[in-house]
Amino acid sequence: MCVCEDASHGHGPRCLRPSTVADHWPRDRRELVAAGLDADDPQYGRGLCARCHNQHTAVAQPGGWHSR
């Protein structure tokens, strides 16, 4: 289930839609790679639904992976 707790995404305290996307959390992929960590390690992730992931990414990384 989606573990998003950001009610600005249009849901209550927790989303709880089916989780379909692996999201890097609490650090983003860029930070993990820069720190020499395995960005694909499940310990650095959480499950989100596509809607919450897209909304979170649009705020946190508005230009995408290559924008910084």
Side-chain angles (χ1 to χ4, degrees):
M1 303 309 288
C2 179
V3 298
C4 178
E5 295 178 343
D6 188 338
S8 72
H9 293 174
H11 53 72
R14 285 192 96 169
C15 177
L16 302 179
R17 288 184 194 104
S19 173
T20 58
V21 180
D23 181 53
H24 296 94
W25 186 259
R27 298 163 138 185
D28 65 29
R29 174 177 279 279
R30 215 173 283 136
E31 293 169 332
L32 294 168
V33 170
L37 300 171
D38 180 2
D40 296 323
D41 188 325
Q43 73 175 323
Y44 304 121
R46 63 180 178 172
L48 296 179
C49 69
R51 179 179 175 183
C52 289
H53 180 267
N54 292 344
Q55 289 179 327
H56 171 74
T57 301
V59 172
Q61 298 174 10
W65 171 261
H66 300 287
S67 67
R68 287 189 196 176

